[in-house]
Amino acid sequence: MVAEAPEPGAAVAEPGSIGPLAGKTLVVTGTLEGFSRPEAEKAIRAAGGHAAGSVSAKTDYLVAGEKAGSKLAKAEKLGVPVLDEEGFRLLLAGEAT
């Protein structure tokens, strides 16, 4: 099963409500092949998560695409789990932690 970005105009869950990312904060960095940055952030919100703009100790996951830079280095320094695009899709589908 592959998770897709929600359709335009689809209902979007409030962060922290229901879904596989409920209560989770994710940051997206770098270039993803299957998502634009706004699409990835919308998919996070649709799955109940919060899309943040910067990495902190409160970040649950960093989604890192090609050319991820300082956010990736900061996530590694803080011990934040880093997902590639495939891992992100699995997380959106509720198939990974």
Side-chain angles (χ1 to χ4, degrees):
M1 179 168 147
V2 175
E4 297 292 331
E7 292 295 321
V12 176
E14 288 298 315
S17 59
I18 58 172
L21 299 182
K24 302 292 184 190
T25 299
L26 287 83
V27 175
V28 179
T29 189
T31 303
L32 302 174
E33 286 187 29
F35 295 91
S36 67
R37 179 78 45 86
E39 289 170 341
E41 291 174 353
K42 189 172 182 177
I44 291 166
R45 290 189 298 274
H50 171 71
S54 60
V55 176
S56 75
K58 295 182 180 184
T59 303
D60 292 293
Y61 296 99
L62 175 73
V63 179
E66 292 294 318
K67 297 185 180 177
S70 61
K71 290 179 185 176
L72 176 58
K74 186 169 184 180
E76 290 172 341
K77 180 178 179 183
L78 293 173
V80 173
V82 178
L83 301 172
D84 61 10
E85 186 168 349
E86 181 61 26
F88 178 51
R89 289 181 182 279
L90 290 171
L91 192 66
L92 287 172
E95 297 178 18
T97 58

